Amino acid sequence: MAGPAAPGEPERVAFVLIDGVGDVTIPQLGGRTPLQAASLPHLDAVAAAGLTGLMDPVEPGLACGSDTAHLSLFGYDPRTYYRGRGAFESMGAGLDMSPGDIAFKSNFATLDPGSGIVLRRRADRRFEELGPVLCAALDGLRLPNFPQHSVSVKYATEHRCGVVVRGPGLADQISGTDPLKDNLPLQRSQALDGSPEAAHTAAVVNELSDCMRQVLEGHPVNEQRRAEGKPPANVVLLRGCGSRLALQEFKERHGLDACMVAPTKIIAGLGMSLGIRVLDVPGTTGDYRTLFHRKAEAIAEALSRGGFQFGFLHVKAVDDTGHDFLVDLKPRYQEVVDRMVAQLLCLLWEQERAGNGRYSIVVTGDHSTPVEFGDHSHEPVPFAIAHVRHVVEALGGNAAMERIPLGPIPHPGEQPAGAAQQAPAAAGAAAGQAAVAAGAAQPAGGQQMQARQGDPSQQEGEQLHQQQQADHHQQQQQQQAATSPSGRWGGAGAAQFDEIAVAAGQLGRFPGSQVMPLIRQFVGLEAAGG
């Protein structure tokens, strides 16, 4: 159990990564970004109390994937170390990998067998019940022309699964079968270099793709889905072929014993590749249904009592709203994240007041996912880092922290608080899924919020949140007037956590490769310029 901080002991770091957080101004939101449209008093306090800037996760102008972005943020240049995302997804899903194996990040998708066109790259996001059934049917699949090769398949999250191929002569320098957009032909794998190993591997993968289609086409799950008028999951799109990385571990590189809460399997697998402990937190799902408060509790516990110095908390739901074109829901889920950050600050401050260490918090994203575009883009993301004690000052001190409600966090459109513990997740997912199914760009988020105002059991929590929102303007004034840690660093923080406000911050615009050196300096692991 961790005890009081020793003199000169570096601060422990809570790193909150909001996947897909960045966006652009949207006419439907009054010419504001979702972050500007959302009420984010606690994220704003982090920005006001600390250092802020705009961060390009890899480099300016690059619309990067989550995997390359995370590698960069953790201090590993993806240009040097990246070997495809398949190994991350598969390891995160629980598949073992040995040297010489290859793996894929894979989607269950819908194919028109007659034309060979991929109609939907995601057959269904809500696949947590059927996905494992189909994976079980594919696991151990034999390839008639390559009997010396074996195949392992395991369900990951949503529409995704991990696929590992073992056998002689495999290489990861091949293309996948994913066309990357709907309504395009299913691709055939090709060698990306002139090596015989790559040509051999492409032949193996093409046979694997064909055999998977044969199994899925007539599977009872898909027969039932067709009967119900739902798109069948009759193809697996194989992409991001990769082999397991042999990297210097995070602790050895940065001097920080690290853990993460990352139900999204590709992020968990990346963490495992770096020797970061992946915490198993019940109720955290890596999608709309996740229990946000459990993430805050797990990171606070790991940092205060688990012996960890660096706790990484990954949030996926905000990114999903971008991919699903849910303009109204993106700021609403950003507000849910704000409440989660409030709980994390409260729990860490309780430990700091008790003399159990000192803490800093980092909040940023891995890329932008503009909600009107529906995919990753090249825009930089907001970044903020602050000492927890200064965030507490910016919020108004101990009295403000005591008003923060702990426990389950309301999702957009959630059921009454007295319902089953899983109700918040189910209702939040339902709001997103209903909008996706209807092809709606504007789910009735406002109506859903109004519907729960009349529930007495919900009103107390809502009133607390409304009180915090009412104090938001006053807090911003306090934040601007308060001495930030950068009074010692050179200037006040930004008044808001959004793409526009942080652009004027002390850090300016910088690449993701500078994140870990900045953190090390900020928490006292090394002198500035060291």
Side-chain angles (χ1 to χ4, degrees):
M1 179 180 294
E9 177 185 328
E11 293 189 357
R12 304 167 200 171
V13 181
F15 193 127
V16 179
L17 192 292
I18 310 171
D19 202 310
V21 67
D23 215 298
V24 297
T25 54
I26 300 173
Q28 186 175 323
L29 298 179
R32 299 172 295 172
T33 71
L35 282 173
Q36 290 178 308
S39 176
L40 309 172
H42 306 96
L43 290 173
D44 290 347
V46 174
L51 300 174
T52 60
L54 279 174
M55 188 262 291
D56 292 289
V58 177
E59 63 183 23
L62 178 65
C64 57
S66 290
D67 47 1
T68 53
H70 279 73
L71 272 176
S72 180
L73 298 184
F74 287 149
Y76 300 82
D77 187 346
R79 303 170 191 81
T80 301
Y81 298 109
Y82 187 65
R83 301 290 295 180
R85 59 174 45 193
F88 300 147
E89 182 84 25
S90 298
M91 290 174 61
L95 291 171
D96 293 329
M97 289 192 67
S98 301
D101 297 347
I102 59 170
F104 298 87
K105 175 182 171 67
S106 308
N107 288 10
F108 283 107
T110 300
L111 179 78
D112 177 9
S115 65
I117 298 295
V118 176
L119 303 177
R120 298 168 59 108
R121 292 183 61 250
R122 306 177 184 95
D124 195 334
R125 276 203 189 276
R126 294 298 303 274
F127 223 53
E128 55 275 355
E129 293 183 3
L130 301 181
V133 176
L134 295 181
C135 286
L138 297 173
D139 188 39
L141 187 66
R142 307 306 301 179
L143 306 180
N145 293 314
F146 301 97
Q148 69 275 40
H149 292 78
S150 63
V151 178
S152 298
V153 181
K154 193 165 185 179
Y155 180 67
T157 55
E158 297 182 314
H159 52 278
R160 306 180 185 93
C161 62
V163 177
V164 172
V165 182
R166 302 179 180 88
L170 297 176
D172 58 16
Q173 291 301 300
I174 61 167
S175 63
T177 65
D178 186 355
L180 303 180
K181 296 287 184 181
D182 291 348
N183 298 311
L184 290 176
L186 179 69
Q187 301 296 293
R188 301 296 284 177
S189 179
Q190 297 181 357
L192 297 179
D193 60 25
S195 68
E197 291 82 6
H200 164 73
T201 305
V204 172
V205 170
N206 286 326
E207 179 157 328
L208 171 61
S209 178
D210 294 341
C211 290
M212 285 181 156
R213 287 173 55 193
Q214 293 174 10
V215 171
L216 293 175
E217 191 62 44
H219 195 281
V221 164
N222 284 321
E223 291 181 358
Q224 181 176 351
R225 287 181 66 83
R226 291 188 186 96
E228 296 172 350
K230 297 178 180 179
N234 59 351
V235 68
V236 174
L237 303 180
L238 304 167
R239 61 190 175 115
C241 181
S243 52
R244 180 166 183 169
L245 301 180
L247 297 175
Q248 181 185 33
E249 292 198 349
F250 186 92
K251 183 177 181 179
E252 182 180 354
R253 175 163 292 207
H254 299 299
L256 293 165
D257 198 356
C259 65
M260 66 164 52
V261 175
T264 303
K265 302 307 181 184
I266 188 171
I267 307 304
L270 189 153
M272 294 166 62
S273 298
L274 304 180
I276 297 175
R277 177 81 63 84
V278 180
L279 305 180
D280 182 15
V281 183
T284 59
T285 60
D287 58 23
Y288 293 117
R289 303 168 300 122
T290 199
L291 299 183
F292 289 87
H293 71 289
R294 295 270 180 85
K295 296 188 177 189
E297 293 167 355
I299 290 297
E301 178 73 13
L303 290 174
S304 62
R305 295 185 173 87
F308 294 100
Q309 302 158 294
F310 184 95
F312 184 80
L313 192 166
H314 181 265
V315 176
K316 185 68 168 71
V318 171
D319 183 56
D320 283 348
T321 64
H323 285 294
D324 292 338
F325 303 96
L326 302 179
V327 175
D328 285 354
L329 273 186
K330 187 165 186 178
R332 299 292 77 80
Y333 269 99
Q334 288 169 338
E335 290 173 351
V336 172
V337 173
D338 184 76
R339 298 189 195 187
M340 180 196 72
V341 168
Q343 292 192 6
L344 179 60
L345 289 167
C346 186
L347 295 169
L348 294 177
W349 178 236
E350 180 181 347
Q351 294 298 320
E352 187 161 326
R353 288 182 69 191
N356 184 12
R358 284 196 162 190
Y359 302 88
S360 289
I361 184 168
V362 177
V363 184
T364 190
D366 56 348
H367 54 75
S368 294
T369 307
V371 72
E372 290 191 322
F373 178 52
D375 208 343
H376 301 186
S377 68
H378 63 270
E379 285 81 13
V381 294
F383 178 95
I385 181 171
H387 302 293
V388 166
R389 59 190 176 276
H390 294 124
V391 182
V392 173
E393 291 173 8
L395 285 167
N398 292 331
M401 305 308 288
E402 291 170 359
R403 294 200 301 267
I404 294 174
L406 300 178
I409 298 173
H411 283 54
E414 80 156 341
Q415 297 300 313
Q421 191 172 19
Q422 294 293 336
Q433 293 301 325
V436 175
Q442 302 181 49
Q447 295 175 355
Q448 294 161 352
M449 296 293 286
Q450 292 171 6
R452 67 172 196 246
Q453 288 177 357
D455 178 66
S457 63
Q458 185 67 22
Q459 281 185 339
E460 182 177 356
E462 284 301 311
Q463 288 169 354
L464 285 169
H465 182 58
Q466 291 167 5
Q467 180 180 359
Q468 292 170 339
Q469 290 178 320
D471 292 341
H472 194 188
H473 178 67
Q474 180 180 351
Q475 289 172 358
Q476 288 179 340
Q477 292 178 325
Q478 293 172 344
Q479 291 161 8
Q480 291 172 331
T483 301
S484 81
S486 261
R488 302 164 272 274
W489 290 81
Q496 292 91 31
F497 183 82
D498 64 58
E499 302 88 343
I500 309 302
V502 302
Q506 307 91 328
L507 299 174
R509 185 167 177 174
F510 64 100
S513 60
Q514 295 304 305
V515 167
M516 287 309 303
L518 170 63
I519 290 174
R520 287 175 53 83
Q521 292 177 20
F522 195 85
V523 304
L525 271 171
E526 62 185 40

